[in-house]
Amino acid sequence: MNPYLILGIAALIIIAAALVGMTLAYRRRADRRALSLHRLLELADRLEGDLKTCRAGLQQAHAVMSLNPDLPASSEQEARHAIDAGLRSLLAQRIWIRDTAPTASQEELDKAVASMNDTRDRLRPLLAALDRAQHELDSAMREHLRREHDA
């Protein structure tokens, strides 16, 4: 067999293998980007849900406290501003996702995912504390109404 033919076939096999490798690497990178973008959108939805749950819980707590003068007053306005600030920040993040994420580097996407995860992690104990406080408020209100009824 002609040595040039063997070299030509070997070169074609090497080129084909390189093309397959590059295609697989590109596909893995594209899949990772798509997964990161999907995760970002999913986290944004969950964070929005967390913030809205927090807002509803605070509104309910303030409504109960306003009915019972024996309970200490709380800074409803301050709490409302904090939740609104969180929602505005989330809106800015959603705009970043819409405008920048499609062309962002994988590192930028990973940082955005990590940041949103961190925010949810910080919010989780606050939501649990709010839930406990709501239960305590409900119990205090029932006790107050029971004492009023018995008097």
Side-chain angles (χ1 to χ4, degrees):
M1 207 183 236
N2 186 343
Y4 292 112
L5 180 61
I6 293 173
L7 285 174
I9 291 173
L12 285 175
I13 291 173
I14 291 171
I15 291 170
L19 286 174
V20 167
M22 288 174 23
T23 301
L24 288 175
Y26 174 80
R27 187 72 218 149
R28 275 193 300 266
R29 193 174 84 228
D31 288 348
R32 184 173 176 208
R33 286 186 63 74
L35 182 63
S36 293
L37 286 169
H38 176 74
R39 184 74 179 134
L40 264 176
L41 292 170
E42 180 183 304
L43 283 168
D45 290 343
R46 289 182 180 182
L47 182 56
E48 182 176 3
D50 291 345
L51 288 167
K52 287 181 175 180
T53 296
C54 190
R55 180 173 55 191
L58 287 170
Q59 286 172 340
Q60 184 178 3
H62 288 295
V64 169
M65 288 187 294
S66 69
L67 293 175
N68 188 348
D70 295 341
L71 294 174
S74 182
S75 177
E76 181 179 0
Q77 195 72 340
E78 187 177 310
R80 185 176 292 140
H81 287 314
I83 299 295
D84 289 346
L87 288 167
R88 279 191 303 278
S89 178
L90 179 60
L91 177 60
Q93 187 70 15
R94 285 187 185 276
I95 291 170
W96 182 89
I97 292 168
R98 183 196 68 200
D99 295 347
T100 307
T103 58
S105 70
Q106 186 62 50
E107 182 181 353
E108 290 172 312
L109 293 175
D110 292 343
K111 284 181 182 178
V113 167
S115 174
M116 211 170 289
N117 269 323
D118 290 345
T119 300
R120 287 198 74 223
D121 288 344
R122 286 190 312 272
L123 192 56
R124 204 167 284 122
L126 298 173
L127 285 168
L130 179 62
D131 188 51
R132 285 189 305 274
Q134 186 65 49
H135 288 296
E136 291 172 14
L137 265 174
D138 291 344
S139 294
M141 192 63 180
R142 279 192 298 277
E143 179 63 26
H144 174 76
L145 291 172
R146 186 187 61 75
R147 278 186 275 139
E148 250 183 25
H149 182 266
D150 292 344

